[in-house]
């Protein structure tokens, strides 16, 4: 009897290779499924013509007929069960235990997501598995295809620091990482000299015993302290050297010009303010540190120097943050100016009494 049933199933399975004839459904009379005890599988019959009733099997019942290709199944394992290919019976569905990624370090979490996708059969074309450090965070250097980039511990790319994968052996991204950490700390006053690949720049200057400030390429001495550079005299340079060698968190680190004097803008805590060359504060000018990149204090510095020298004739019109206004007046005439207070070439001039008519 069992042999007969098995052969019958094979015969039925062989019919799967026979294509459905045209208008097959027009010749087929479908049985009613209104009283189905189970699940109605719409268009699940031969050639997709009829709805069929799917009997819900319980744990331990035979379910092998669902594997016979081409034979419309009339039963299926019930909810929470699946058909085991080993036993041919319905067994409880085993849900793979997955790691709790919410408490994982960012790089380990990403590796787990990739592995889970691989197990689920998702296409992983173009996906690069990250390199993690000993703490499970992203390693500073990550490579994608033929390019290696610098990233923070969360895996976010750091500015435009990158290099060809052929340079991977000498790439460490330490300068890019240190720069990012310093910026996120809210501290100001230190320059980081990084190569395009995120490494620290190397110096070929003759070594000296004293630690000194390295002049920035822009002409400012915002300076990280390195050895082997020429000593810069000046009140700001001395304070800068003292602050950075102290290593104390929260110590004020000044911004210095190429002569070792204080730049017009200084920032400390949550505030930026304007100062003279000797570092004394010019009262009346300040801005939140969040606006630091837009604050120059050049107008406040020029106005203070002009008054100190006893000169007359020029009226310095400054913003509350110490920057130049969009217009300036000389004598009885006013004109439009750039951010440095210089007259914009070709701009019109108006009498100081008609300043409201000047469109800058």
């Amino acid at each position: 009897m069992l042999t007969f049933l098995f052969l019958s199933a094979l015969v039925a399975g062989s019919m799967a290779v026979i294509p459905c004839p045209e208008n097959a459904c027009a010749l087929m009379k479908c049985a009613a499924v209104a009283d189905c005890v189970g699940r109605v599988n719409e268009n699940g019959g031969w050639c997709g013509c009829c709805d069929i009733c799917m009997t819900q099997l319980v744990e331990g019942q035979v379910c092998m007929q669902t594997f016979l290709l081409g034979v419309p199944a009339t039963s299926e394992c019930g909810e929470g069960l699946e058909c085991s290919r080993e036993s041919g019976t319905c067994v409880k569905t085993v849900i793979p235990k997955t790691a709790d990624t919410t408490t994982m370090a960012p790089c380990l979490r990403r590796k787990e997501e990739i592995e889970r996708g691989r197990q689920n059969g998702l296409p992983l074309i173009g996906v690069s598995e990250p390199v993690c450090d000993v703490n499970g965070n992203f390693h500073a250097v990550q490579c994608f295809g033929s390019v290696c980039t610098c990233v923070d511990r969360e895996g976010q790319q750091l500015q435009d620091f990158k290099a060809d994968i052929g340079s991977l052996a000498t790439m460490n991204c330490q300068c890019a990482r240190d720069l990012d950490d310093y910026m996120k700390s809210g501290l100001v006053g230190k320059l980081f000299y990084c190569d395009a690949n995120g490494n620290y720049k190397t110096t070929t200057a003759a070594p000296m015993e004293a630690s000194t400030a390295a002049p920035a390429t822009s002409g400012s001495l915002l300076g990280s302290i390195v050895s082997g550079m020429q000593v810069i005299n000046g009140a700001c340079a001395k304070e800068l050297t003292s602050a950075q060698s102290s290593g104390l968190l929260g110590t004020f680190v000044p911004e210095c010009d190429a002569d070792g004097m204080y730049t017009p803008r200084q920032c400390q805590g949550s505030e930026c303010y304007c100062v003279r060359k000797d570092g004394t504060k010019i009262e009346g000018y300040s801005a939140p540190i969040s606006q630091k990149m837009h604050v120059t204090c050049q107008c406040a510095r020029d106005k203070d120097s002009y008054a100190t020298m006893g000169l007359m004739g020029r009226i310095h019109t400054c913003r509350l943050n110490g920057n130049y206004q969009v217009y300036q007046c000389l004598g009885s005439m006013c004109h439009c100016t750039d951010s440095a207070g210089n007259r914009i070439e070709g701009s019109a001039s108006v009498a100081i009494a008609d300043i409201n008519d000047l469109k800058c």
Side-chain angles (χ1 to χ4, degrees), residues 23-30 45-47 49-50:
N23 301 320
C25 293
L27 303 175
M28 191 170 293
K29 184 177 181 180
C30 298
W46 286 106
C47 297
C49 297
C50 300

Side-chain angles (χ1 to χ4, degrees), residues 118-169:
R118 185 180 290 116
Q119 292 176 357
N120 292 335
L122 297 178
L124 299 177
I125 298 175
V127 175
S128 296
E129 190 159 333
V131 179
C132 306
D133 62 19
V134 293
N135 297 316
N137 297 318
F138 281 85
H139 189 275
V141 183
Q142 300 291 327
C143 297
F144 309 90
S146 62
V147 178
C148 296
T149 62
C150 299
V151 302
D152 64 12
R153 290 169 181 78
E154 297 290 327
Q156 299 299 312
Q157 186 171 343
L158 298 176
Q159 299 184 32
D160 197 32
F161 295 111
K162 59 186 178 182
D164 187 274
I165 197 169
S167 306
L168 177 60

